[in-house]
Amino acid sequence: MTATPTTHTATPATPKRHRARLLVPAAIAALAFTATTAAADTSPTPAAGRTATAHDRRAAEHKPKAMLDAWLRLWNGDFAQAPGIISPGFRVHAALLDGGDGSSIRGVDGLVAWIGQTRAAFPDLRFTIEVPPLVDGHYASVRWTATGTYAGGFPGAKARPGTVVTFTGTDTLRMRDGRFAEYWVNSDTLSLLTQLQAL
């Protein structure tokens, strides 16, 4: 999610027929995770052990959704979300307006600074989910819409402060050890620049 110049725990081994990775909505992926994990767990365990395992599975099922919810809150200005969901080695892949590829944006601090820079030009910028997230193994993808009021300061923009802009994009994230480790973003920069009269 960007307007600037510009999950995952290991699962137990499962039979081969259950290993196919299909790109499905997060809710279906969670159900598939439950089914394949339950099918793989054939060892007898005491009742207490089964309860703990079922609890762990339920937590794992909701982890990508919880991470994506926190990701959305982070982009909506809740920077306190970052340390819990962003890996120290977090990397960004983005075509920036200054010609950069996003590789200079690293870790929690780099991402928070980048989001802060974005929000400086659009202080009330609000991201909403346009299409439910898709989860495929260690990857999640979500389509979003952003709306905000231009406050000025965008390079080359002739639009007046107070201009409301709306643009869309898609985030793809790689999850590792319960945090986001890598991020690819595609946003409709052409639409944004047109609304800012920067072309």
Side-chain angles (χ1 to χ4, degrees):
M1 299 180 186
T2 182
T4 59
T6 189
T7 286
H8 204 61
T9 55
T11 57
T14 57
K16 189 172 184 176
R17 69 179 180 271
H18 294 296
R19 288 188 184 159
R21 289 184 178 178
L22 301 175
L23 192 59
V24 292
I28 296 173
L31 291 173
F33 179 86
T34 303
T36 57
T37 305
D41 187 15
T42 57
S43 59
T45 57
R50 282 196 302 271
T51 302
T53 303
H55 179 270
D56 292 344
R57 277 199 289 263
R58 281 194 300 275
E61 289 165 22
H62 299 292
K63 185 70 171 175
K65 182 182 183 320
M67 289 172 63
L68 288 167
D69 288 346
W71 176 256
L72 182 66
R73 290 194 304 273
L74 171 60
W75 276 94
N76 282 333
D78 183 0
F79 297 155
Q81 298 295 319
I85 61 167
I86 303 300
S87 164
F90 182 80
R91 295 173 45 199
V92 172
H93 305 276
L96 305 179
L97 289 179
D98 65 3
D101 61 2
S103 60
S104 63
I105 303 165
R106 294 269 181 161
V108 174
D109 293 341
L111 179 62
V112 167
W114 189 38
I115 295 171
Q117 179 185 6
T118 300
R119 298 189 66 81
F122 309 94
D124 64 348
L125 192 61
R126 190 86 184 145
F127 290 88
T128 56
I129 302 301
E130 185 178 315
V131 175
L134 302 175
V135 177
D136 180 15
H138 294 284
Y139 294 88
S141 187
V142 63
R143 174 80 175 173
W144 48 263
T145 298
T147 301
T149 307
Y150 178 51
F154 196 96
K158 296 180 184 70
R160 292 183 175 185
T163 299
V164 175
V165 298
T166 299
F167 59 103
T168 60
T170 301
D171 289 355
T172 301
L173 297 134
R174 181 172 65 86
M175 299 171 282
R176 182 177 180 206
D177 299 327
R179 295 185 181 188
F180 293 122
E182 208 163 359
Y183 170 42
W184 293 262
V185 59
N186 291 302
S187 58
D188 191 349
T189 307
L190 178 60
S191 174
L192 176 62
L193 293 177
T194 300
Q195 293 172 74
L196 292 176
Q197 300 173 32
L199 294 177

